Structures are given as structure tokens and as C-alpha cells.
Amino acid sequence: MFLPGDVLEPAPQSCVDEPGSPLCAADVCRGVTRLLFRHDLFAMGEVPLDGGRRADLMALDAHGRLVIVEVKVSRADLLGDGKWPDYLDHCDRFFWAVPAGFDLSPLDGPAFLPERTGIIVADRYDAAIVREARSEPLPAHVRKRCTLAFARRAARRLVAERDPELATF
């Protein structure tokens, strides 16, 4: 979700760090971000995409490949999400990320493109890939546009963190 040296944003009040408390999206994002970091992918959260969509997590690897991770913490949210196929036009690989104990069976259905999409199971501290995502390389002009947008957004967030007044210009 962040570049090295950035500070992880605090979890919303609904996320409590007590044994047995339900995980929220911020918890899952934190665990997934740690997994991605260990695999040399640097992620950023809440990334706007062309067309008005917003990726929960977007990551970039050392070869310039883009990964989008869509986080779901409830079955209703998963089953009601009709916008996610739009994300496939902005990444080489796409993963669903869910908390441990989440029913994965809907993700095996044809509506969720199991032959293309991966699954990550996460908690507050870590995550594991339980189904790898197939890589579908982006066209060069799309990769360039998406990568530049990602890099500029990351730089803007870093500048805003270092100098919040500058972000208002």
C-alpha cells in the first residue's frame, strides 16, 4: 500500500486489534501489503483508475508488471460487486483478497473468472496466495499510461506526507 519509509495509515475505528475480532478491509490490506513487499512488489492503496474506478491495492514489480488486489470482507460485498472486471484492463494480474475463514467457493464460479484471477487469504499481519493469478500482459501503451499514473500518484502522496501544505496548491 505504501512505498518503503511510508507510514501505514491507522485502521478505522471499526478495526479493533483484539483476539477474535472480525477483520476489516484495512486489516486485509495490511496483510496483503506485507506479502507483496516480501515478493518485491510495492503497493499503494485506493488507486484511482481510468473510468472512475478505484483499486483497493495496486502494486508494481521490478519488471514493471502491475497487480491489482480487490479486497472483500463480506460475502454480500463480493457477490454484489459488478465493477471488478473493469480492473482487468489496468493490470497484468488480478487477485481477490479475503480474510482467513472467508468462504472461497463463490470465487470458483465462472462469474469470478477463476482461470484468470488469483486468491489471497490475509489477516492483520500476513497473507498467503492460495490461487495464483494468470498473467495477461497489458498492451505497451496501456502499461505506460498505468505505470506513469501509479508513479505520479505515489510521488504526490509522498510529497503530501512530507509537506501537507504543498498538497493544497
Side-chain angles (χ1 to χ4, degrees):
M1 176 177 325
F2 301 94
L3 298 172
D6 284 353
V7 177
L8 191 65
E9 293 176 11
Q13 287 295 78
S14 61
C15 294
V16 290
D17 195 9
E18 297 172 3
S21 65
L23 294 178
C24 67
D27 294 327
V28 174
C29 285
R30 181 177 187 236
V32 171
T33 299
R34 288 174 170 207
L35 167 75
L36 294 171
F37 188 88
R38 283 195 318 276
H39 287 92
D40 200 30
L41 284 117
F42 298 101
M44 183 169 43
E46 296 298 317
V47 179
L49 306 171
D50 292 343
R53 302 292 186 215
R54 184 178 301 266
D56 291 332
L57 289 172
M58 184 178 226
L60 184 66
D61 74 9
H63 301 286
R65 292 179 296 237
L66 293 161
V67 173
I68 289 181
V69 180
E70 179 69 359
V71 174
K72 297 296 178 191
V73 294
S74 78
R75 184 180 179 93
D77 187 24
L78 174 67
L79 298 177
D81 185 352
K83 69 186 181 325
W84 76 269
D86 295 345
Y87 299 162
L88 299 176
D89 295 333
H90 299 89
C91 63
D92 298 291
R93 292 188 304 155
F94 179 92
F95 286 91
W96 297 100
V98 298
F102 193 91
D103 177 15
L104 302 178
S105 63
L107 295 171
D108 289 330
F112 293 98
L113 303 177
E115 70 285 350
R116 167 87 196 267
T117 63
I119 301 172
I120 298 172
V121 174
D123 63 18
R124 293 176 178 95
Y125 307 103
D126 204 357
I129 296 172
V130 297
R131 182 174 74 208
E132 186 59 65
R134 186 177 77 212
S135 184
E136 292 280 335
L138 289 170
H141 71 284
V142 174
R143 177 180 314 286
K144 180 178 180 179
R145 184 180 73 243
C146 291
T147 303
L148 284 173
F150 181 89
R152 291 179 54 80
R153 181 157 310 277
R156 184 176 183 89
R157 287 182 184 182
L158 187 59
V159 166
E161 182 181 309
R162 304 274 191 263
D163 188 352
E165 292 173 19
L166 187 59
T168 63
F169 284 99

